[in-house]
Amino acid sequence: LLPSFLWQTDWDLRLACLLLYAFDKEDNFWQLYGDFLPSADECPNLLLASEEELSELQDPNLASTMREQQRRALEFWEKNWHSGVPLKIKRLARDSERFIWALSMAQTRCIGMQMRIGALVQDANMLIPYADMLNHSFEPNCFFHWRFKDRMLEVMINAGKRIKKGDEMTVNYMRGQQNDMLMQRYGFSSPVNPWDVIPFSGNARIHLDSFLSVFNISGLHGEYYHNSMRHLNSLCGLFCLDL
């Protein structure tokens, strides 16, 4: 359990180190959990993307962000896994690929929760084995709830609505985040993301689906969902919005 502040802080780096340490301990629960985690080839996190794959992204800003994240991870590994570190530390991540994989697991498997202890409210990122295998939905039917029990933190999955037999259980991975963050972490974006907006001049903001539905083009190719004025101008010419 580590404090979470901003994306630029090191909570994910420290969580990756703890995950590697847990995998190194013999006969423990985390080793069994590790058998279910995806390999580097299977994980959709863009942190594991090659330069060729990043160059194919339609969003150059996203590609640049991921290159910075990759450099950040590599610099952290080089700083803490140099030749002079004890063997018990070195064996946790003998190469940078192992550490970057653990970092991608920390980013894609963590669950953000808000904890209240007395008057203190703290945002936190947690690794909750097996609960992290629920799929994402912007209209989830489940949510996470925590409590202290016997001096331990217990996390439960509660139903937010009636779930019929055979229905899939879903949770919301990241509330209040636009598609670029979902793409960074999980390798997908959604045209129905209620938090994705198109920037206009001034203070005007409009949801992407609402904009596309006005021109009856919501079913067109994904390139038209790019969040830039250049693409919008190519779609509808000069567009004026008075709010």
Side-chain angles (χ1 to χ4, degrees), residues 23-236:
F23 288 156
D24 188 62
K25 303 294 288 184
E26 295 183 359
D27 300 325
N28 73 84
F29 167 82
W30 289 92
Q31 287 182 330
L32 180 62
Y33 168 66
D35 293 338
F36 288 88
L37 294 179
S39 65
D41 294 332
E42 298 169 331
C43 181
N45 189 307
L46 291 184
L47 194 64
L48 297 167
S50 65
E51 178 57 35
E52 180 181 359
E53 291 169 331
L54 291 179
S55 64
E56 293 177 355
L57 290 174
Q58 295 183 9
D59 188 343
N61 293 329
L62 178 58
S64 177
T65 297
M66 295 318 301
R67 291 187 184 99
E68 292 177 4
Q69 290 293 323
Q70 290 175 340
R71 284 194 294 269
R72 167 178 173 260
L74 184 58
E75 289 173 358
F76 181 87
W77 178 82
E78 291 175 342
K79 178 181 178 181
N80 294 280
W81 269 271
H82 53 78
S83 58
V85 300
L87 180 60
K88 64 180 180 180
I89 300 297
K90 185 181 297 185
R91 71 186 184 194
L92 299 181
R94 294 183 181 275
D95 52 59
S96 58
E97 288 78 10
R98 173 67 173 173
F99 177 75
I100 293 177
W101 172 83
L103 182 59
S104 70
M105 291 300 104
Q107 292 183 0
T108 58
R109 318 305 295 190
C110 75
I111 295 172
M113 297 185 66
Q114 193 171 74
M115 303 181 62
R116 179 184 295 273
I117 304 176
L120 176 65
V121 178
Q122 173 70 63
D123 290 331
N125 289 297
M126 308 179 188
L127 284 175
I128 308 174
Y130 306 115
D132 57 0
M133 296 182 182
L134 294 175
N135 280 329
H136 166 80
S137 173
F138 288 113
E139 296 182 354
N141 53 22
C142 295
F143 64 94
F144 294 104
H145 174 71
W146 69 272
R147 67 181 180 183
F148 281 114
K149 183 178 180 181
D150 299 330
R151 298 185 178 182
M152 297 288 290
L153 182 67
E154 183 178 73
V155 178
M156 297 166 288
I157 303 174
N158 290 354
K161 60 180 70 173
R162 183 178 295 275
I163 303 175
K164 298 179 181 179
K165 182 179 180 180
D167 286 352
E168 181 182 18
M169 297 170 60
T170 58
V171 293
N172 192 329
Y173 285 174
M174 301 180 73
R175 294 183 181 275
Q177 295 293 339
Q178 297 185 20
N179 277 334
D180 58 348
M181 182 59 72
L182 289 172
M183 181 63 76
Q184 286 183 40
R185 291 276 193 92
Y186 309 107
F188 71 83
S189 61
S190 173
V192 297
N193 185 349
W195 302 103
D196 231 29
V197 295
I198 301 175
F200 288 91
S201 59
N203 296 322
R205 301 184 111 194
I206 185 171
H207 183 254
L208 182 57
D209 260 10
S210 300
F211 175 82
L212 294 177
S213 64
V214 171
F215 296 94
N216 195 28
I217 57 175
S218 58
L220 290 183
H221 192 271
E223 63 180 320
Y224 295 112
Y225 286 83
H226 194 283
N227 190 13
S228 72
M229 288 304 300
R230 179 172 61 83
H231 282 75
L232 296 181
N233 287 336
S234 67
L235 287 174
C236 58

